Amino acid sequence: MPPAEPTTSATTGEDGARRRTVWITGAGSGVGRAVAVTAAAAGARVALTGRRPSALAETAELVRAAGGAALELPADATRDAELQQVYAEVSRTWGPPTDLVLAAGLNHPRRYWRDQTIADFRAVVETNLTAAAAAVDLALPDLRAAGGGVVVFVSSVSGWQFSPDAGVAYSASKSALGSLSAHLNAQENRHGVRACSVCPGDIDTGFLGLRPVVPDRDDRAQMLSPADVARTVQFVLDSPPHVCVNELVVTPTKKQG
Ligand SMILES: NC(=O)c1ccc[n+]([C@@H]2O[C@H](COP(=O)([O-])OP(=O)(O)OC[C@H]3O[C@@H](n4cnc5c(N)ncnc54)[C@H](OP(=O)(O)O)[C@@H]3O)[C@@H](O)[C@H]2O)c1
């Protein structure tokens, strides 16, 4: 792992302003990668988490090529010990993250009651919901101590309205992210912590390969791009501290199906 850039101090820039460090899960591909590149272009340091070190290295390369600073922190977000280690590492290097974008996600081609297994169900819920809660749990004391920060949950349109084909576990876990976000706002806005559930429709990423019927090129051409979602996330990150963007739904203009 290449060394992270030296800084004036762990958390402040040369002008004394608090420097933004965005911790991104699912950063090795798709939305997470696009968020990393967009946030870095806006001046943030980005801490990148996902299971595949090679995918994180590719994202880090893109960030550095654009003049940004990236820290590669491979981990399985469903494993508490790994997540704790990652959090400790980013804190040691740059200070605690100032913002979180939780994009790690999982679905399964066997997504109906008739064909899912409880093992599939558990894996989806642990990745989409429990791992996101665990990341917030790690960061919350530091966010509070710093006077606030933004937490973006990358949910789904299926977490916003009933989507019968998205999957039992997927829809349930993404719907619950909305609740996680609302609870965070209800309990932590007073400490400056702001949460947003971003609910995108179809995005042209590798995630589509997890569908029972994989969309073809023509279908994909109608979808959102990862950059579209990253722009939405950046809007949330850039909103001033007195503004809490609770939920955003972003869908392709020409809807699928
Ligand atoms: N594509 C869509 O149509 C769509 C629509 C709405 C919402 N979303 C949501 O958008 C988010 C990003 O998905 P995407 O479309 O960008 O697909 P993607 O490229 O497949 O991204 C998913 C990422 O999650 C990471 N991940 C999965 N399990 C993980 C784990 N246990 N620990 C750490 N990282 C893990 C994967 O990296 P590793 O395999 O290296 O761990 C991967 O980088 C997901 O939460 C998804 O539910 C997608």
Side-chain angles (χ1 to χ4, degrees):
M1 175 189 308
E5 55 148 25
T7 53
T8 309
S9 80
T11 55
T12 57
E14 278 163 15
D15 60 357
R18 188 171 173 230
R19 178 118 189 243
R20 177 166 255 175
T21 297
V22 183
W23 181 27
I24 303 158
T25 67
S29 59
V31 171
R33 171 174 288 176
V35 166
V37 171
T38 303
R45 297 177 293 210
V46 289
L48 312 173
T49 291
R51 290 168 300 182
R52 291 164 299 152
S54 59
L56 297 183
E58 284 175 26
T59 300
E61 196 50 47
L62 291 171
V63 167
R64 293 186 190 116
L71 191 58
E72 296 148 59
L73 301 167
D76 182 332
T78 66
R79 297 192 177 154
D80 289 348
E82 292 185 27
L83 214 54
Q84 283 159 13
Q85 217 175 342
V86 156
Y87 191 79
E89 181 64 24
V90 64
S91 300
R92 201 164 32 242
T93 308
W94 284 335
T98 58
D99 308 277
L100 274 55
V101 179
L102 304 170
L106 183 67
N107 203 350
H108 204 287
R110 295 192 300 265
R111 54 182 63 180
Y112 300 94
W113 282 111
R114 64 177 177 267
D115 62 358
Q116 70 170 5
T117 68
I118 284 301
D120 299 336
F121 184 98
R122 193 169 279 129
V124 170
V125 171
E126 283 181 1
T127 305
N128 294 351
L129 179 63
T130 314
V136 173
D137 210 49
L138 284 170
L140 194 53
D142 289 322
L143 293 176
R144 275 176 160 210
V150 178
V151 177
V152 178
F153 298 99
V154 180
S155 177
S156 162
V157 77
S158 67
W160 174 69
Q161 66 180 16
F162 180 59
S163 310
D165 294 322
V168 179
Y170 188 79
S171 290
S173 59
K174 292 296 190 181
S175 301
L177 279 183
S179 174
L180 226 61
S181 179
H183 277 90
L184 202 50
N185 283 328
Q187 296 168 20
E188 300 295 336
N189 270 178
R190 74 195 72 163
H191 301 294
V193 178
R194 297 168 286 144
C196 182
S197 174
V198 170
C199 303
D202 292 338
I203 315 162
D204 182 11
T205 70
F207 208 72
L208 301 175
L210 299 170
R211 289 191 176 176
V213 179
V214 177
D216 64 18
R217 210 160 51 158
D218 288 347
D219 286 339
R220 287 171 183 260
Q222 307 292 334
M223 296 180 181
L224 299 171
S225 69
D228 294 326
V229 183
R231 190 174 57 244
T232 305
V233 169
Q234 193 62 39
F235 168 78
V236 180
L237 293 174
D238 283 345
S239 294
H242 68 284
V243 174
C244 180
V245 183
N246 291 261
E247 182 179 62
L248 283 176
V249 180
V250 50
T251 57
T253 305
K254 183 167 181 185
K255 300 203 176 81
Q256 300 300 299

